[in-house]
Amino acid sequence: ISVEIKERRQFLRVKTSGADQVSVMDEDGFLLGPAAADSALPVFEDLRPEAKDDFKGGRYQDKGMLRMMFEIKSVISREPLLEGKNILSIKVDSPERICIGFEGGFEVLVSKNFADEIAKLEPLRQALEKDLETFEYLDLRFKDVVARKKQERKNNGRLKR
């Protein structure tokens, strides 16, 4: 008989549908309890309609989605344009719409083909790195990268012209 003991490591914070509390989840999907308010882990939200059934018995059941979250974090950490950016959230609306939120209000939209989509940044790196913080989002899901700059707003919320 062989017994292996493995310490569970915090992987993501997770917000389940209908819950006000954010929990910590390990790489195997086990919920480890409430997340600390100052945690630097990204908040994972699976907003797909079928996902409400994926949290059972203190564990997130969709192993494919867990693997995708691990791979997304890994691919982003290797992309020079994004590697120093702190990921705040990963929201999955569907396999075709995954929103990765970064510190500073910047987002990257990808799909289940995120590795190929993030590779689209390579030829744009030099042009984007100087003013990346001026963008609201980069949408990498299409043939051409779609970028939207942040718009300056007046105090009353209307756009400045």
Side-chain angles (χ1 to χ4, degrees):
I1 294 177
S2 176
V3 176
E4 182 180 333
I5 297 175
K6 177 182 157 189
E7 180 181 357
R8 298 202 179 280
R9 294 184 328 189
Q10 297 181 1
F11 173 56
L12 293 168
R13 291 181 294 160
V14 62
K15 186 168 184 177
T16 57
S17 62
D20 294 330
Q21 181 175 300
V22 177
S23 299
V24 176
M25 182 169 61
D26 74 358
E27 292 175 352
D28 295 320
F30 286 100
L31 299 179
L32 305 176
D38 61 348
S39 175
L41 295 171
V43 175
F44 166 60
E45 289 185 73
D46 192 343
L47 304 172
R48 300 171 302 148
E50 64 272 19
K52 65 179 183 247
D53 298 327
D54 285 338
F55 289 96
K56 292 180 184 170
R59 186 175 187 187
Y60 181 68
Q61 304 293 322
D62 190 338
K63 291 185 189 269
M65 185 63 67
L66 280 173
R67 189 171 30 261
M68 189 183 334
M69 293 305 105
F70 183 80
E71 291 170 4
I72 283 174
K73 286 177 68 178
S74 178
V75 167
I76 293 224
S77 72
R78 292 189 312 265
E79 167 50 51
L81 189 64
L82 303 172
E83 69 183 340
K85 309 288 182 213
N86 188 23
I87 300 173
L88 298 180
S89 64
I90 303 173
K91 295 180 184 176
V92 180
D93 290 307
S94 76
E96 300 307 319
R97 188 177 197 288
I98 301 167
C99 180
I100 306 163
F102 293 87
E103 211 166 38
F106 171 71
E107 296 178 338
V108 173
L109 292 143
V110 294
S111 73
K112 63 185 175 190
N113 303 317
F114 60 89
D116 293 334
E117 293 164 349
I118 290 175
K120 292 178 189 176
L121 292 174
E122 183 185 355
L124 304 173
R125 238 180 249 141
Q126 190 173 5
L128 289 173
E129 64 188 355
K130 290 180 183 169
D131 64 346
L132 186 62
E133 300 300 323
T134 65
F135 287 96
E136 185 176 330
Y137 67 81
L138 296 176
D139 194 336
L140 309 178
R141 299 174 295 165
F142 307 104
K143 180 181 176 191
D144 295 322
V145 173
V146 177
R148 179 178 178 159
K149 288 227 177 198
K150 293 178 183 172
Q151 297 180 341
E152 195 174 328
R153 296 185 181 270
K154 292 182 178 180
N155 288 341
N156 63 3
R158 291 193 177 140
L159 293 177
K160 253 187 180 178
R161 295 179 191 239

